[in-house]
Amino acid sequence: MIDYHIHPNYSSDARGTIDEFCQSALKNGLKEICFTTHLDSDLTRDDAYVMVDDKKVDVQSNDWLVHYESSVRQADETYRKQGLRVKLGIEVDYYPGIRENLPDQFFDTDFDVILGSVHLFDHHAISVEKESHKVFQKYTLSQLGERYYGYLINCVDTELFDILAHIDLYRRYGEQYYGKEIFNIWKPHIEQLSDAMRTKKVAFEVNTSSWRKNLTDPMPTGSLIKSLIARGIDIITIGSDAHYPEMIGNGIQRVLTYLQEIGVETVSTYEKRTPQKIPIESLIQQQEK
Ligand SMILES: [Zn+2]
Ligand SMILES: [Zn+2]
């Protein structure tokens, strides 16, 4: 089993060291994990910092990234011998003008994969329930789709990212607010989004955290996954978005079956920002052994 979206305690909303996550991964039979700590650099927000050894560090300082990189590489060395590969990733929060706010070290770090995520609308996070309502009150459903997919296309165009994470994240709290119509708001934007992704060779993630929020589908929903694949975007990573060690691998088995049922045959791992496809069948068999 693999899990490509994991938050260790460099962010204040996560608990557990890199070592604790690796221990939990081993215990739960995972073969490969990728840490994707948050890089939230919108300086107008009060969460634009990183935790290192329980101390707040400026997100734009380079030291924390050096610390993070060496801790993950060290873990790979340690746990590889026990059958667990540990990859170096990051989840970057996209907003217009982001490039100037990234730490210099971002461009010098040898990441295996870089996730680009749209959480923010006008500096409010739609991934946080209270903040999401500020956004929903302001936008009709079609405006929400227009803004969200507009941001995602801009995110692809920055050429900073390998993967778009959870590309219908607005469903997390929006499903309750707007109703089931929210499942369709990607449709007017799919051509433009998939053209951009194909051109810039950007892939997408299927994220299982929606199941922990009692939603029916992973993010994105099956019809959006199928639509992207039909347009030639067929590199997919899978991730639990674990924020605690015991959450690692959460929903991964279920999502493999879900993907297989809608006709997806492979998911991908990454090394030095190059994808490698793995048959879903072999991952399921591995688990059954
Ligand atoms: Zn995210
Ligand atoms: Zn995340």
Side-chain angles (χ1 to χ4, degrees):
M1 235 185 0
I2 53 180
D3 189 342
Y4 258 61
H5 194 142
I6 299 166
H7 294 285
N9 61 358
Y10 286 82
S11 49
S12 57
D13 62 349
R15 167 171 58 71
T17 61
I18 284 180
D19 206 54
E20 285 164 344
F21 274 93
C22 291
Q23 293 285 353
S24 178
L26 270 183
K27 213 172 76 191
N28 289 292
L30 281 100
K31 300 279 183 252
E32 182 160 332
I33 59 173
C34 182
F35 285 101
T36 53
T37 198
H38 286 292
L39 200 172
D40 299 336
S41 62
D42 180 344
L43 305 175
T44 67
R45 291 178 55 86
D46 56 12
D47 60 359
Y49 62 88
V50 176
M51 300 299 292
V52 179
D53 298 330
D54 293 327
K55 283 189 205 72
K56 273 191 188 185
V57 175
D58 179 359
V59 68
Q60 289 182 303
S61 80
N62 292 315
D63 301 353
W64 75 267
L65 257 178
V66 174
H67 186 284
Y68 174 61
E69 180 176 17
S70 74
S71 306
V72 174
R73 294 302 183 205
Q74 180 61 50
D76 188 38
E77 210 157 293
T78 307
Y79 289 96
R80 203 175 193 156
K81 299 167 199 137
Q82 300 173 53
L84 174 70
R85 284 301 314 272
V86 183
K87 298 285 179 70
L88 179 72
I90 195 154
E91 180 181 21
V92 181
D93 206 349
Y94 171 81
Y95 52 91
I98 183 179
R99 191 180 283 269
E100 292 66 42
N101 284 348
L102 293 171
D104 301 334
Q105 186 62 29
F106 174 81
F107 300 94
D108 291 331
T109 303
D110 202 10
F111 291 111
D112 289 309
V113 72
I114 303 179
L115 311 184
S117 296
V118 173
H119 303 115
L120 299 180
F121 272 67
D122 317 317
H123 312 291
H124 299 306
I126 54 165
S127 47
V128 176
E129 187 163 19
K130 257 201 219 144
E131 292 187 48
S132 72
H133 285 262
K134 290 186 190 156
V135 176
F136 299 155
Q137 278 161 15
K138 215 168 133 184
Y139 295 104
T140 65
L141 204 43
S142 71
Q143 286 169 337
L144 186 82
E146 215 164 283
R147 288 297 288 270
Y148 189 79
Y149 288 98
Y151 285 143
L152 275 181
I153 291 161
N154 295 340
C155 179
V156 172
D157 285 342
T158 60
E159 302 189 4
L160 291 170
F161 310 108
D162 304 307
I163 299 277
L164 293 181
H166 49 55
I167 58 173
D168 57 4
L169 177 67
Y170 48 77
R171 277 198 299 119
R172 180 183 286 177
Y173 299 111
E175 225 177 283
Q176 248 186 349
Y177 189 90
Y178 293 99
K180 289 288 175 201
E181 254 314 291
I182 202 165
F183 272 87
N184 298 316
I185 64 171
W186 55 271
K187 289 182 178 165
H189 313 288
I190 188 69
E191 290 301 340
Q192 214 190 332
L193 176 65
S194 56
D195 284 351
M197 290 171 78
R198 228 180 6 256
T199 310
K200 307 288 187 190
K201 294 198 169 36
V202 171
F204 69 102
E205 168 206 71
V206 180
N207 185 299
T208 65
S209 68
S210 46
W211 281 326
R212 292 197 295 277
K213 303 278 177 196
N214 292 322
L215 302 189
T216 52
D217 291 19
M219 296 184 296
T221 182
S223 53
L224 178 45
I225 297 171
K226 284 197 277 189
S227 186
L228 284 167
I229 289 180
R231 287 169 174 79
I233 320 289
D234 63 349
I235 298 197
I236 300 175
T237 60
I238 46 175
S240 67
D241 221 332
H243 282 64
Y244 313 114
E246 57 274 24
M247 256 184 215
I248 209 162
N250 201 294
I252 294 295
Q253 192 63 20
R254 183 175 171 189
V255 85
L256 288 172
T257 311
Y258 180 95
L259 289 171
Q260 216 176 25
E261 278 171 9
I262 62 169
V264 180
E265 288 173 1
T266 62
V267 290
S268 292
T269 56
Y270 272 75
E271 182 134 354
K272 293 186 186 298
R273 307 190 62 193
T274 304
Q276 189 187 1
K277 287 182 179 173
I278 305 173
I280 289 179
E281 193 55 44
S282 74
L283 289 171
I284 291 177
Q285 279 170 6
Q286 198 181 64
Q287 198 55 25
E288 282 166 355
K289 271 181 202 160

